[in-house]
Amino acid sequence: MTVSGAGPDTGVPSARARALAVLRVRSRALAVALLPAAAAVILLAGGSTGHLPGPGWDLARRILTPVAVLALLLAAGVALVVARARPAVSPTVPIAEEAAPDLYRMVRDLADRLGVPAPSAIALTPDCDSWLEDRTHPAHAPPPPEERGDTAQAGRPARRVPAAPVLVIGSPFLWWMRVAELRALLAPVVAGTGPSAHPDIAAARRFVRGLDAAVAVTSAPDRGPVFRAVLGGVGWVARLLLHGSRVHAAEMERGVAAAAAERAKTVDYGLRIVAQEQVGLAYAGWDRLLTRVALPAWRMGRWPARLNAGVVSALTELSRRDRLAEGFASRLGERPACDLLEEPGAVDEATSLLAARLFHGGPAETGPDWSPVHWGDYPEEVVDRKWRTDAARLHRILDALRVPPADEESRAPDGPTLARVLTHLTASPDLTPAAVPAVTAVEAPAPDEDDPAGGTAHSAALAARLTAELAREQATAAAGPQGSAAPDPDALRDDRALPLFPLQPPRTGRELLADHITAMVCCAAMDTVGAVPGLDWLDGPTLLVGGAPAAELSPQVLTLIEDGDPSDLRNWLTRQGIRPEKPVRLA
């Protein structure tokens, strides 16, 4: 008696059955499109041979023949749109084999051990994820040799369609993980090339991707009324077919994933558990690096050029602070996976620029208002500039609101001071009614349901003006060369809807006001007690007073905004030796 156990191809029969179900949807659609034509052919053949005489059959032929022609035209139109539609491709940084021969060698060796085809190429994505991506559409293949200027290969038939999918690797993994950990992590991903090579599964995937691309084409807004009407019908048909294929396609992908996971159990299974722990740690460090460190720089028109190297510093700092992460830093003595690249710095810069585009919407190339910054220059070129720019904006709005200088400023009128801000937010609204003019409907921000009501009249007016001023600045920047750059027609992605993955929702007026007051406090500290801007790998811009990070300012600033009470903030300033009546230098 034989007992069949779970083999390496468990899940493939289920995936193939679901793929056939998807293909049956395609076959039924084709049959429906051809049915009127088949009936018309029968009627016409019967009339020409004399088997279907009479006025009734003649009427049927006159009615059904145009219907058949119309159905064929509609089917051809749908097929043409589906065939010409360009399937979506994830934004990635392609890695040529010459740029990473060791990485390609490791992946091919892994594929050999798994008994599956090797991926056709490798690309990096600025995210903590890895997957296989099918780029068999002719639009995604490399140009023929004559277009690349390769005269040695000219005249030979060009292979425009790769035989296997592309392996996309999360770039933070290469810098944080060790070589053995990366190989264990990629084992179930690479194992997916086996089921992907099955003809039925590949055909089902092409069908679903084509329908999805057709829906995207028909949903494009920049179309005339005639095109919108025609493409609306095509989109309806494509959505109907997608709806009929959705469940089968999802179950097919689950079967493929199950088969790949089962096959990968034979390779580095024990080490994969350790690698999965590193995935969670890498994701936490990468998220904090983007939101706390990179985002302030992007908003200043600078993009950190070594994000992946920064994630190593961030995760090392997290390992030092978090007791749960103890022992992870000791791994740094082993060979990092980025050593598999010939030029890690150039690859890091390319993925860092792509991250800025995906998460913030920056331009594709550097320019006067969009330049790289290295970590050593970050405190001076980003933190200091951010604080002084925010402080200058705050005082411009105070000037527009006709806010008078503080009492101390009458004796030192040679520059803006923190005391002016504190005095204005402390004053009772009925004492200086002329200082708070009404904000027009154009300048006032839209209500934000997540911003709870509260704060004084002065802080509310100041927050409204800040929101309107930043909105004008962003609109001006979007209308400039940075926002009007034409998308690259040869790129493998649609750049018209950036950022694709915004990191944070728009900031509320209260958050903006708190940021600007904090910036003014930091400027006063730098100009009066010699404090310096710093970079914390997990918290972003930080103020260093006497070489140590300053205490948290948020509670004192929020008390000033919400209650109009500056006592907590003034006490903090006194303890640090900061004099709010001294003028500060603005950007």
Side-chain angles (χ1 to χ4, degrees), residues 349-366:
E349 186 168 346
T351 54
S352 299
L353 180 57
L354 179 58
R357 293 182 57 69
L358 295 182
F359 298 111
H360 184 67
E365 298 178 355
T366 60

Side-chain angles (χ1 to χ4, degrees), residues 53 68 97 156 172 301 310 312 344 394 427 502 509 515 525 532 547-549 566-567:
E97 186 168 0
R156 299 184 185 179
V312 177
L394 180 61
D515 288 346
V532 295
S567 57

Side-chain angles (χ1 to χ4, degrees), residues 109-128:
D109 176 70
L110 186 58
D112 290 340
R113 294 175 61 186
L114 292 168
V116 297
S120 60
I122 299 177
L124 298 185
T125 178
D127 201 0
C128 293

Side-chain angles (χ1 to χ4, degrees), residues 534-557:
L535 168 61
D536 186 286
W537 290 110
L538 297 176
D539 297 326
T542 185
L543 181 68
L544 302 177
V545 181
E552 183 65 39
L553 279 173
S554 296
Q556 292 88 344
V557 172

Side-chain angles (χ1 to χ4, degrees), residues 262-469:
E262 187 68 28
R263 180 177 291 271
K265 285 183 178 180
T266 61
V267 177
D268 297 333
Y269 184 70
L271 189 56
R272 195 174 312 137
I273 299 175
V274 179
Q276 289 296 336
E277 294 176 352
Q278 299 304 319
V279 170
L281 186 65
Y283 184 85
W286 182 250
D287 180 70
R288 294 194 67 163
L289 183 73
L290 293 181
T291 55
R292 307 287 183 88
V293 179
L295 188 59
W298 292 339
R299 286 172 174 164
M300 294 299 299
R302 309 296 300 273
W303 54 277
R306 295 292 187 271
L307 277 179
N308 293 286
V311 78
V312 177
S313 300
L315 290 173
T316 304
E317 179 66 17
L318 181 62
S319 302
R320 187 184 65 83
R321 297 184 190 180
D322 192 350
R323 294 181 59 187
L324 297 177
E326 286 182 356
F328 287 151
S330 62
R331 305 163 39 260
L332 300 181
E334 304 174 16
R335 185 190 183 195
C338 63
D339 279 359
L340 300 173
L341 304 173
E342 290 292 304
E343 297 183 8
V347 175
D348 195 356
E349 186 168 346
T351 54
S352 299
L353 180 57
L354 179 58
R357 293 182 57 69
L358 295 182
F359 298 111
H360 184 67
E365 298 178 355
T366 60
D369 300 323
W370 187 245
S371 56
V373 59
H374 296 277
W375 293 126
D377 302 326
Y378 185 94
E380 185 67 26
E381 297 188 13
V382 174
V383 181
D384 182 86
R385 179 185 167 195
K386 174 187 182 303
W387 287 341
R388 296 192 186 278
T389 300
D390 288 352
R393 184 184 298 111
L394 180 61
H395 277 278
R396 285 200 307 269
I397 293 175
L398 291 177
D399 293 339
L401 292 173
R402 300 191 294 277
V403 174
D407 294 338
E408 296 89 345
E409 292 185 58
S410 60
R411 297 186 295 272
D414 53 345
T417 66
L418 175 60
R420 182 191 189 192
V421 179
L422 299 179
T423 303
H424 174 66
L425 293 178
T426 306
S428 175
D430 55 0
L431 296 180
T432 55
V436 190
V439 180
T440 65
V442 176
E443 295 173 333
D448 193 328
E449 296 179 358
D450 296 328
D451 191 17
T456 64
H458 283 288
S459 64
L462 203 53
R465 288 294 186 115
L466 279 172
T467 303
E469 178 68 17

Side-chain angles (χ1 to χ4, degrees), residues 152-296:
Q153 297 293 331
R156 299 184 185 179
R159 185 174 64 88
R160 297 190 60 89
V161 179
V166 174
L167 174 61
V168 181
I169 306 175
S171 62
F173 296 157
L174 265 76
W175 269 259
W176 176 244
M177 287 187 170
R178 309 299 97 180
V179 173
E181 293 171 349
L182 181 65
R183 183 175 58 246
L185 182 70
L186 295 180
V189 183
V190 175
T193 59
S196 299
H198 195 283
D200 294 333
I201 295 176
R205 283 176 165 175
R206 285 195 300 269
F207 175 61
V208 173
R209 285 199 315 273
L211 292 177
D212 184 70
V215 170
V217 169
T218 58
S219 303
D222 51 346
R223 305 283 184 180
V226 177
F227 279 99
R228 281 201 303 268
V230 174
L231 292 178
V234 176
W236 180 82
V237 174
R239 290 185 183 91
L240 183 64
L241 295 177
L242 272 178
H243 180 75
S245 308
R246 181 180 301 139
V247 175
H248 298 301
E251 292 299 325
M252 177 186 69
E253 297 301 338
R254 289 192 184 96
V256 170
E262 187 68 28
R263 180 177 291 271
K265 285 183 178 180
T266 61
V267 177
D268 297 333
Y269 184 70
L271 189 56
R272 195 174 312 137
I273 299 175
V274 179
Q276 289 296 336
E277 294 176 352
Q278 299 304 319
V279 170
L281 186 65
Y283 184 85
W286 182 250
D287 180 70
R288 294 194 67 163
L289 183 73
L290 293 181
T291 55
R292 307 287 183 88
V293 179
L295 188 59

